[in-house]
């Protein structure tokens, strides 16, 4: 009994110990306590007010604040070409407009003082101050403000910046004001809201005129009317031949500086004088500038019923997208008048960034909505509608699903050509060639830091986490993100080391924390907050950094610092904010303004339903579950085994620990006890791991996987006697480069990541990434003539081995012009990534259920190259066309090897062919199942063409009489396949199986088995071959380096 008592006591103590350990673990794994998060939220609020209060005190009603000199920042009137300033500053109190939605967000988690919600009062007072300066948007006396009537200001501004900052800020603030976006505790009555949503409050008198706010101000939709006024002033910029808007517009005078605009074609009534000289005004815009207008302008249309805006924005978006390159990439610069790309570079950053963002977010915002009403357009004065220049957009152009497809296709192209995966030390993005996808530069810019957030929104969590880790490492190194940074040199690119308070990195951090709830991202946010306070504090606000390396400040607080950076930081530290749990299709614009199309607008003849003609997404991605934590760990991100790789790519391990407190706030702190040590010490450190998490929260068993590298080497060919050298050595063709001489040639090889083969599992291959220092895209090919290779390459060279294809060859046919082969026959069979083909088999005319397939991919390499050459030939058409028909060689005991016939000659660079084909006597024998061929046929015809079906392949060959081999007797049997085999996808061929030894009609084994191949195309091929004047064959070859196939080098 005593034993059991002692045992029970021991078990009880053990249980209490386990409970204690578990409770301690639950505290630890939280990573950051609620109090810590609340304190960070409070600090973020203080950051915002330090900037906002000083702006209102020292700069309002001007556009921006100089935080060091405590003065307003205004347009540079002395230098109209100062685009960095004048494009943004429009003389309409930009920082206030950009800050209103942040104030509304702060109002949901306010610091209550004496029963007052300071943020809500500041929001309402800000709206009142704006209306006082610019009027209420009506044509009455109240429409005239102290500074202007609406936005009737003589300011030439950039369309894009004005839409995302000015128009987006007004619309978002209006949606908060009328309750369509939530403010906790703000609940105006339905009657007040109904009156405030009326676009023109003069048309109908309501018992309630609007929403009554403090200090006697009534909100009756002033912001929406001002937004409509601003939108109308931007419309002239859309009068272009392409639908792509001009980059700039004067808010008062329109576009008199673009004389080629259709808006100015009427010299008497347009904006251009009769004698005006051609302008040198820049017509170049960018993909982001032209394609990132859909959210704001569509919202404006849906709220006002004026659908001009939604139409011009969508037309501009599609005008850019439809000009993407053949590899699916968009350029950064494009001419609004010609629609031509300007510059060959592309990436995910500056000039392109928000186009991708708006493709996905337009899908979200417009989901379920039908096309906007077009009848209002027809009723309007067409002189004020750029849509009058074009036909109507299709239902597909309006469809939310089409925008999703666009995002998916764009992301696929970026992943293919711009993204560098783990085999490049750690995933990141580069600058690529717009037309080929080849690498052009190895720098990234700070704007690219938005992309992980967009990937998170799209459900691409793993790619988002990987690339955000690298951005985190860079921030850790510089306590900010430099404008450009080079992954190859590990340093700031071209002296572009400034950081102007950009929000993109903290925006992605916010999205990732929302999706994963990983405390890692809270610590990243704390790092950003501390670094901003330590490095960017100024007496009257927050300064940008002129150089992240030395902390030099510049005297400008960009409007987006309060409109985005502070907003995303606050939302990161406010997990219970109503926006973070809003179950509705709302989005943040590229300027960080929340937008939603409220249900009340559906009364205007459009509702949230899918159009019958809407396309279905190729891959309807869903948001995956957050990565699960390893037991007894804090952060799934901190426990990743590739976290060292990101740190290594940023070169964190090469930097010393920072132990100095360089900060302009240090001197100020001596007189202000509210400034703590944490404000001048950043949690950023230059240790290798884990950068942001406190050391006690690092998993003790954290490990890093071995960094993968891509094997690379060069193959150089010597210059031999009689080799051709000079500019004609390389020729650019449609999808790559043709090599005319190998003398002095240098091929840069790289081993690509393993890929999954059709049926052979994991396949490795090399790719030629550069030829004589010319970078190649991943989809570009290199074409080599067989004769050129034979004279320059040693058969024993392990780095360049020519391998004959034992499965495929090309039947070369000269066809008179009256006959033509079907397209699918003349083009070819798909080779897999290794340069070879899967070789399944089947006997007879019926498919074997277990047999694998071989796809007809319609891209025969030889015929493709010869067509390229013919394109460059003279306009005079030849009387005979030479085509290459892909053919499959059979297998089995009855399959005769293809003899080493003299191959058909290769095309020359003039578009002609060197010599005729060997076999000119052809016999057509039908199915050849029930009757044997006449004895004279195999003796007097070199090629016999048979139809597939009716009997087995062995039976067809058996019905060919015996013959004496000679140069004029039967050389080859070609079987034409008619239909897809049962159980195989359309367009696939089965490799013939001859499982019986070839015999004569009498059953005796043939002394000279007959070679056979099979082609596709059915009756079209069979009938076209009746016009053949000659037949030959051409072998296919691949090249291997060190036993591994080179997948983009083609021997013809």
């Amino acid at each position: 009994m005593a034993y059991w008592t002692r045992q029970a006591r021991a078990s009880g103590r053990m249980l209490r110990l386990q409970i204690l350990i578990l409770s301690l673990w639950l505290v630890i794994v939280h990573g950051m306590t609620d109090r810590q998060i609340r304190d960070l939220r409070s600090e973020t609020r203080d950051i915002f007010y330090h900037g906002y209060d000083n702006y209102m005190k020292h700069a309002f009603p001007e556009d921006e604040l100089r935080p060091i000199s405590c003065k307003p920042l205004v347009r540079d009137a002395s230098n109209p070409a100062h685009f960095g300033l004048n494009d943004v500053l429009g003389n309409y109190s930009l920082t206030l407009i950009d800050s209103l939605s942040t104030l509304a967000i702060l109002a949901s988690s306010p610091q209550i003082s004496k029963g007052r919600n300071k943020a809500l009062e500041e929001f309402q007072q800000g709206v009142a101050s704006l209306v006082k300066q610019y009027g209420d948007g009506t044509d009455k006396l109240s429409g005239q403000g102290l500074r202007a009537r609406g936005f009737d200001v003589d300011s030439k501004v950039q369309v894009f910046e004005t839409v995302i900052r000015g128009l987006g800020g007004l619309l978002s603030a209006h949606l908060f004001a009328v309750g369509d976006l939530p403010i906790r505790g703000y609940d105006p009555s339905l009657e007040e809201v109904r009156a405030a949503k009326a676009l023109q409050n003069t048309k109908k008198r309501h018992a309630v005129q609007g929403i009554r706010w403090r200090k006697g101000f009534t909100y009756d939709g002033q912001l929406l009317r001002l937004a409509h006024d601003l939108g109308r002033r931007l419309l002239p910029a859309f009068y272009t031949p392409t639908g792509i808007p001009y980059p700039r517009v004067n808010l008062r005078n329109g576009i008199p500086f673009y004389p080629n605009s259709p808006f100015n074609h009427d010299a008497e009534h347009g904006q251009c004088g009769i004698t005006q000289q051609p302008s040198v005004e820049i017509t170049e815009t960018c993909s982001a500038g032209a394609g990132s207008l859909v959210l704001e302008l569509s919202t404006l249309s849906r709220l006002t019923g004026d659908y001009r805006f939604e139409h011009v924005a969508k037309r501009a978006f599609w005008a850019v997208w439809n000009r993407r390159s053949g590899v699916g990439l968009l350029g950064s610069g494009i001419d609004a008048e010609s629609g031509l790309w300007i510059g060959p570079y592309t990436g995910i950053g500056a000039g392109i960034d928000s186009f991708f963002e708006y493709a996905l977010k337009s899908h979200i915002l417009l989901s379920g909505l039908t096309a906007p009403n077009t009848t209002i357009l027809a009723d309007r004065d067409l002189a004020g509608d750029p849509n009058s220049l074009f036909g109507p957009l299709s239902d597909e152009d309006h469809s939310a699903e089409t925008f999703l497809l666009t995002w998916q296709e764009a992301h696929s192209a970026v992943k293919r050509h711009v993204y560098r995966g783990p085999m490049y030390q750690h995933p990141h993005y580069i600058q690529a060639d717009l037309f080929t996808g080849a690498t052009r530069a190895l720098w990234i810019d700070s704007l690219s830091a938005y992309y992980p957030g967009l990937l998170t929104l799209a459900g691409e969590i793993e790619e988002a986490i990987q690339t955000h880790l690298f951005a985190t490492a860079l921030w850790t190194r510089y306590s900010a993100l430099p404008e450009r940074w080079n992954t190859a040199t590990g340093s700031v690119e071209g002296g572009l080391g400034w950081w102007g308070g950009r929000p993109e990195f903290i925006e992605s951090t916010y999205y990732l924390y929302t999706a994963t709830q990983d405390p890692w991202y809270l610590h990243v946010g704390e790092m950003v907050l501390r670094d901003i306070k330590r490095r960017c504090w100024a007496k009257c606000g927050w300064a940008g950094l002129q150089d992240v390396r030395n902390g030099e400040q510049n005297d400008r607080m960009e409007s987006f610092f309060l409109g985005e950076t502070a907003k995303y930081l606050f939302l990161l530290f406010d997990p219970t904010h109503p926006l973070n749990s809003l179950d509705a299709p709302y989005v943040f614009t590229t300027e960080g303004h929340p937008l939603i199309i409220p249900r009340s607008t559906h009364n205007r003849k459009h509702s949230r339903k899918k159009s019958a003609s809407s396309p279905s997404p190729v891959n309807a991605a869903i948001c995956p579950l957050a990565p699960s934590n390893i037991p007894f760990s804090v952060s799934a991100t901190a426990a990743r085994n590739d976290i060292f790789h990101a740190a290594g790519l940023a070169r964190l391990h090469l930097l010393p620990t920072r132990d100095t407190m360089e900060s302009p706030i240090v001197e100020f702190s001596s007189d202000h006890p509210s400034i703590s040590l944490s404000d001048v010490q950043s949690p950023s450190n230059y240790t290798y791991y884990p950068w942001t998490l406190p050391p006690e929260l690092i998993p003790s068993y954290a490990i890093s996987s071995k960094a993968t590298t891509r094997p690379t080497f060069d193959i150089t060919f010597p210059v031999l006697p009689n080799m051709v050298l000079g500019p004609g050595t390389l020729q650019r063709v449609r999808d790559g480069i043709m090599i005319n001489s190998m003398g002095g040639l240098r091929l840069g090889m790289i081993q690509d990541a393993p890929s999954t083969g059709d049926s052979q599992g994991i396949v490795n291959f090399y790719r030629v990434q550069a030829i004589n220092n010319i970078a190649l895209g991943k989809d570009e090919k290199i074409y080599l003539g067989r004769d050129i290779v034979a004279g320059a390459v040693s058969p024993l060279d392990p780095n360049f081995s020519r391998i004959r294809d034992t499965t495929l060859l090309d039947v070369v046919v000269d066809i008179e012009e009256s006959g033509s082969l079907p397209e699918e026959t003349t083009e070819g069979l798909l080779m897999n990534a290794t340069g070879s083909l899967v070789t399944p088999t089947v006997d007879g005319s019926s498919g074997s259920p277990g047999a694998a397939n071989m796809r007809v991919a319609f891209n025969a390499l030889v015929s493709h190259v010869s067509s390229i050459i013919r394109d460059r030939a003279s306009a005079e058409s030849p009387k005979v066309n030479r085509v290459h028909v892909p053919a499959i060689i059979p297998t089995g005991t009855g399959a005769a090897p293809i003899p080493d016939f003299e191959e058909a000659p290769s095309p020359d660079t003039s578009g002609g062919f060197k010599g005729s084909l060997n076999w000119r006597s052809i016999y057509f024998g039908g199915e050849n199942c029930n009757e044997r061929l006449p004895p004279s046929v195999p003796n007097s015809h070199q090629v016999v063409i048979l139809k597939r079906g009716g009997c087995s392949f062995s039976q067809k060959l058996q019905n060919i009489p015996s013959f004496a081999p000679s140069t004029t007797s039967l050389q080859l049997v070609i079987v034409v396949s008619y239909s897809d085999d049962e159980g195989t996808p359309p367009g696939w061929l089965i490799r013939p199986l001859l499982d019986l030894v070839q015999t004569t009609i009498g059953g005796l084994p043939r002394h000279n088995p007959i070679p056979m191949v099979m082609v596709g195309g059915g009756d079209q091929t069979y009938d076209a071959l009746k016009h053949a004047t000659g037949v030959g064959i051409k072998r296919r070859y691949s090249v291997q380096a060190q036993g591994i196939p080179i997948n983009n080098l083609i021997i013809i």
Side-chain angles (χ1 to χ4, degrees):
M1 186 71 173
Y3 171 78
W4 291 109
T5 302
R6 290 193 300 270
Q7 185 72 11
R9 289 175 180 171
S11 299
R13 287 194 298 269
M14 180 62 67
L15 178 61
R16 288 193 295 272
L17 179 61
Q18 290 174 340
I19 293 174
L20 177 61
I21 293 174
L22 179 62
S23 63
L24 291 174
W25 174 74
L26 289 174
V27 173
I28 291 175
V29 297
H30 188 274
M32 189 176 283
T33 67
D34 291 341
R35 180 174 180 177
Q36 288 175 300
I37 297 173
R38 184 174 63 250
D39 290 344
L40 291 171
R41 182 166 66 245
S42 179
E43 287 189 64
T44 305
R45 183 187 295 109
D46 293 340
I47 285 177
F48 173 81
Y49 279 122
H50 179 61
Y52 179 76
D53 290 344
N54 276 289
Y55 164 74
M56 296 301 291
K57 178 180 179 180
H58 298 290
F60 180 77
E62 301 299 342
D63 285 314
E64 286 184 347
L65 168 69
R66 292 184 182 272
I68 298 175
S69 56
C70 303
K71 296 178 181 179
L73 181 65
V74 298
R75 293 172 60 83
D76 188 351
S78 62
N79 181 16
H82 189 175
F83 297 132
L85 204 63
N86 294 336
D87 274 356
V88 176
L89 308 186
N91 283 336
Y92 53 77
S93 307
L94 176 61
T95 296
L96 174 59
I97 294 176
D98 234 355
S99 300
L100 288 175
S101 62
T102 307
L103 282 167
I105 287 173
L106 295 180
S108 284
S109 302
Q111 284 182 322
I112 302 297
S113 176
K114 299 180 181 179
R116 297 169 52 223
N117 184 333
K118 177 184 176 182
L120 182 58
E121 290 185 6
E122 291 280 4
F123 170 72
Q124 295 173 350
Q125 184 57 44
V127 173
S129 299
L130 194 70
V131 171
K132 184 177 181 180
Q133 295 295 326
Y134 304 99
D136 63 4
T138 67
D139 54 4
K140 300 186 299 183
L141 182 62
S142 58
Q144 178 64 52
L146 296 179
R147 284 171 68 92
R149 176 177 286 276
F151 294 93
D152 183 23
V153 290
D154 186 12
S155 299
K156 183 170 137 184
V157 294
Q158 189 185 88
V159 174
F160 169 66
E161 293 288 357
T162 306
V163 167
I164 65 171
R165 301 199 198 198
L167 190 61
L170 291 169
L171 291 170
S172 185
H174 167 76
L175 291 168
F176 277 112
V178 298
D180 288 326
L181 288 171
I183 299 177
R184 188 182 286 126
Y186 174 70
D187 190 22
S189 68
L190 292 178
E191 292 79 7
E192 290 177 318
V193 169
R194 189 176 297 113
K197 287 185 175 182
L199 180 60
Q200 297 294 340
N201 66 346
T202 58
K203 290 185 177 181
K204 183 178 180 180
R205 304 297 296 177
H206 297 272
V208 177
Q209 292 302 306
I211 305 173
R212 297 284 297 176
W213 287 349
R214 292 175 62 92
K215 299 185 180 180
F217 183 82
T218 299
Y219 183 75
D220 60 9
Q222 294 95 328
L223 295 179
L224 181 58
R225 291 193 293 275
L226 287 173
H228 189 247
D229 175 77
L230 181 58
R232 289 190 295 107
R233 297 177 183 277
L234 299 175
L235 283 177
F238 292 86
Y239 279 87
T240 67
T242 61
I244 299 171
Y246 286 116
R248 295 172 182 85
V249 65
N250 188 290
L251 294 178
R252 174 178 293 167
N253 302 317
I255 54 168
F257 33 80
Y258 293 120
N260 295 328
S261 169
F263 196 62
N264 298 321
H265 282 178
D266 185 348
E268 292 189 24
H269 303 98
Q271 292 190 311
C272 294
I274 298 176
T275 60
Q276 182 169 352
Q277 298 298 317
S279 172
V280 293
E281 184 71 24
I282 296 174
T283 58
E284 175 188 354
T285 185
C286 62
S287 296
S292 305
L293 311 172
V294 177
L295 299 182
E296 293 86 353
L297 293 183
S298 294
T299 302
L300 179 61
S301 284
R302 301 287 174 150
L303 293 179
T304 64
D306 186 346
Y307 297 107
R308 292 177 294 175
F309 308 109
E310 185 170 347
H311 280 254
V312 297
K314 288 179 176 176
R315 179 172 285 107
F317 180 93
W318 298 122
V320 173
W321 177 245
N322 291 335
R323 287 171 169 81
R324 63 192 181 280
S325 71
V327 294
L329 296 174
L330 297 173
S332 58
I334 191 169
D335 187 86
E337 292 185 343
S338 68
L340 298 177
W341 294 111
I342 300 173
Y345 278 54
T346 186
I348 61 167
I352 309 172
D353 48 0
S354 53
F355 183 93
F356 302 133
E357 183 182 358
Y358 275 44
L360 179 61
K361 290 182 177 180
S362 294
H363 162 70
I364 297 172
L365 184 71
L366 302 174
S367 59
L369 290 176
T370 57
N373 197 329
T374 57
T375 58
I376 295 181
L377 291 175
D379 295 339
R380 287 187 173 274
D381 178 9
L382 296 183
D385 181 13
N387 295 288
S388 62
L389 300 174
F390 307 93
L393 294 172
S394 66
D395 287 344
E396 186 174 325
D397 291 332
H398 287 294
S399 167
E401 284 72 21
T402 309
F403 283 98
L404 177 59
L405 287 170
T406 300
W407 154 251
Q408 292 174 340
E409 184 176 340
H411 175 242
S412 177
V414 167
K415 194 74 178 286
R416 173 69 176 161
H417 301 288
V418 181
Y419 171 82
R420 284 190 159 193
M423 295 193 74
Y424 289 93
Q425 190 168 358
H426 187 79
H428 60 281
Y429 303 94
I430 50 93
Q431 307 302 307
D433 185 276
L434 166 63
F435 302 102
T436 68
T439 300
R440 288 298 182 192
L442 297 175
W443 53 261
I444 60 172
D445 58 19
S446 62
L447 284 170
S448 303
Y450 82 97
Y451 203 63
L454 182 61
L455 291 170
T456 304
L457 195 61
E460 304 287 346
I461 300 295
E462 178 61 20
E463 184 183 349
I465 291 173
Q466 289 176 333
T467 52
H468 183 269
L469 273 177
F470 176 52
T472 304
L474 270 186
W475 184 286
T476 304
R477 175 174 177 177
Y478 293 104
S479 295
L481 288 185
E483 184 68 9
R484 284 188 186 178
W485 192 81
N486 193 295
T487 59
T489 64
S491 59
V492 171
E493 170 80 5
L496 304 179
W498 65 78
W499 182 74
R502 290 195 188 280
E504 287 76 17
F505 175 61
I506 194 61
E507 173 189 359
S508 288
T509 305
Y510 160 69
Y511 276 114
L512 273 166
Y513 177 69
T514 303
T516 66
Q517 297 297 297
D518 191 326
W520 167 276
Y521 299 104
L522 294 175
H523 289 282
V524 172
E526 181 187 13
M527 174 179 69
V528 173
L529 182 147
R530 300 279 178 239
D531 286 339
I532 288 174
K533 294 182 73 171
R534 178 174 58 86
R535 307 190 80 193
C536 301
W537 181 91
K539 182 179 179 181
C540 294
W542 302 99
L545 297 177
Q546 189 62 35
D547 194 324
V548 298
R549 293 166 293 187
N550 57 32
E552 177 188 355
Q553 293 183 335
N554 62 40
D555 195 10
R556 181 180 183 182
M557 185 178 73
E558 294 257 18
S559 69
F560 55 65
F561 181 81
L562 301 181
E564 294 185 82
T565 307
K567 178 183 296 168
Y568 285 122
L569 265 177
F570 187 83
L571 287 172
L572 173 66
F573 298 131
D574 192 3
T576 63
H577 193 282
L579 276 181
N580 287 333
S581 57
L582 181 60
D583 185 14
Y586 85 98
V587 295
F588 288 95
T589 70
T590 194
E591 189 68 12
H593 295 302
L595 292 180
I596 191 172
I597 295 178
R599 295 183 179 276
S600 59
T601 63
H602 303 171
N603 296 329
R604 295 192 178 98
K605 298 182 181 180
H606 51 77
S607 59
R608 287 192 180 274
K609 62 181 180 179
K610 184 174 178 179
S611 171
S613 61
S614 298
S616 297
V618 173
N619 175 25
I622 60 174
C623 189
L625 294 174
S628 58
N629 286 338
I630 299 173
F632 294 95
S633 68
V634 178
S635 163
T637 304
R640 290 176 64 93
N641 60 10
D642 63 348
I643 199 165
F644 286 99
H645 307 164
L649 184 59
R651 279 64 163 188
L652 290 186
H653 57 295
L654 300 180
L655 298 174
T657 300
R658 180 179 56 246
D659 52 12
T660 59
M661 296 189 299
E662 75 287 359
S663 173
I665 204 173
V666 172
E667 181 180 351
F668 181 75
S669 65
S670 60
D671 300 325
H672 294 75
S674 62
I675 304 299
S676 65
L677 186 63
S678 65
D679 292 320
V680 296
Q681 282 187 334
S682 171
S684 305
N685 60 78
Y686 293 146
T687 57
Y688 205 59
Y689 180 88
W691 322 330
T692 59
L693 283 179
E696 63 270 17
L697 300 184
I698 303 171
S700 59
Y701 49 82
I703 61 173
S704 177
S705 63
K706 182 179 179 180
T708 55
T709 58
R710 289 192 164 201
T712 60
F713 63 93
D714 288 349
I715 301 176
T716 302
F717 298 93
V719 180
L720 301 177
N722 301 320
M723 275 192 170
V724 178
L725 298 176
T729 301
L730 304 178
Q731 277 184 290
R732 172 67 68 179
V733 293
R734 287 181 190 171
D735 59 350
I737 292 177
M738 180 179 289
I739 298 175
N740 296 321
S741 173
M742 299 189 68
L745 192 70
R746 185 172 71 254
L747 302 179
M749 312 297 297
I750 185 168
Q751 187 171 0
D752 273 335
S755 63
T756 302
D758 292 335
S759 63
Q760 298 176 356
I762 301 301
V763 176
N764 288 309
F765 54 86
Y766 279 109
R767 173 171 57 86
V768 181
Q769 64 172 343
I771 176 169
N772 286 4
N773 293 326
I774 301 173
L776 298 178
K778 289 184 177 180
D779 295 331
E780 287 194 283
K781 305 290 191 299
I782 294 178
Y783 299 102
L784 270 171
R786 185 170 63 96
D787 298 337
I788 295 175
V789 177
V793 179
S794 169
L796 302 178
D797 187 349
N799 290 325
F800 202 86
S801 305
R802 191 182 67 169
I803 308 298
R804 175 184 286 185
D805 195 321
T806 59
T807 304
L808 288 177
L809 56 75
D810 288 291
V811 175
V812 185
V813 186
D814 283 343
I815 298 181
E816 295 177 349
E817 287 186 347
S818 57
S820 62
L821 285 170
E823 180 182 358
E824 64 268 22
T825 303
T826 61
E827 290 186 349
L829 293 164
L830 176 65
M831 301 176 73
N832 65 19
T834 68
S836 62
L837 277 154
V838 188
T839 57
T841 59
V842 66
D843 182 37
S845 59
S846 62
S848 171
N853 303 319
M854 183 177 297
R855 192 183 192 288
V856 179
F858 316 135
N859 189 23
L861 303 171
V862 179
S863 61
H864 177 58
V865 174
S866 60
S867 68
I868 292 170
I869 296 175
R870 287 198 298 271
D871 286 344
R872 300 196 302 269
S874 63
E876 182 180 354
S877 299
K879 295 180 179 180
V880 174
N881 293 319
R882 180 165 294 180
V883 295
H884 294 70
V885 184
I888 305 177
I889 302 171
T891 188
T893 58
I898 305 296
D900 287 329
F901 297 123
E902 181 181 353
E903 294 195 16
S906 301
D908 59 33
T909 56
S910 66
F913 295 90
K914 299 175 289 187
S916 59
L917 300 178
N918 293 335
W919 305 329
R920 310 187 69 82
S921 55
I922 306 169
Y923 183 85
F924 293 83
E927 290 185 347
N928 197 37
C929 290
N930 299 323
E931 298 180 3
R932 60 182 300 183
L933 295 181
S936 61
V937 169
N939 287 292
S940 59
H941 294 84
Q942 296 164 307
V943 178
V944 170
I945 299 177
L946 304 177
K947 295 181 178 181
R948 181 182 179 184
C951 60
S952 68
F953 296 117
S954 296
Q955 182 65 44
K956 294 178 187 292
L957 296 181
Q958 189 181 42
N959 285 336
I960 298 176
S962 300
F963 60 95
S966 69
T967 57
T968 60
S969 65
L970 181 60
Q971 307 292 315
L972 181 69
V973 171
I974 301 175
V975 177
V976 179
S977 180
Y978 272 68
S979 61
D980 298 320
D981 292 280
E982 182 179 355
T984 63
W988 290 63
L989 286 179
I990 299 294
R991 186 177 182 185
L993 173 62
L994 302 181
D995 57 349
L996 300 176
V997 175
Q998 288 192 32
T999 63
T1000 65
I1001 192 65
L1004 298 176
R1006 285 190 186 273
H1007 295 293
N1008 299 290
I1010 304 171
M1012 185 197 100
V1013 297
M1014 186 170 72
V1015 299
D1019 279 331
Q1020 284 183 286
T1021 299
Y1022 193 81
D1023 293 340
L1025 289 173
K1026 292 180 180 180
H1027 298 272
T1029 61
V1031 176
I1033 64 167
K1034 198 168 187 63
R1035 298 280 191 175
R1036 291 191 176 191
Y1037 296 86
S1038 61
V1039 177
Q1040 294 184 356
Q1042 302 172 358
I1044 299 175
I1046 303 174
N1047 77 320
N1048 66 334
L1049 196 153
I1050 312 302
I1051 294 181
I1052 61 172

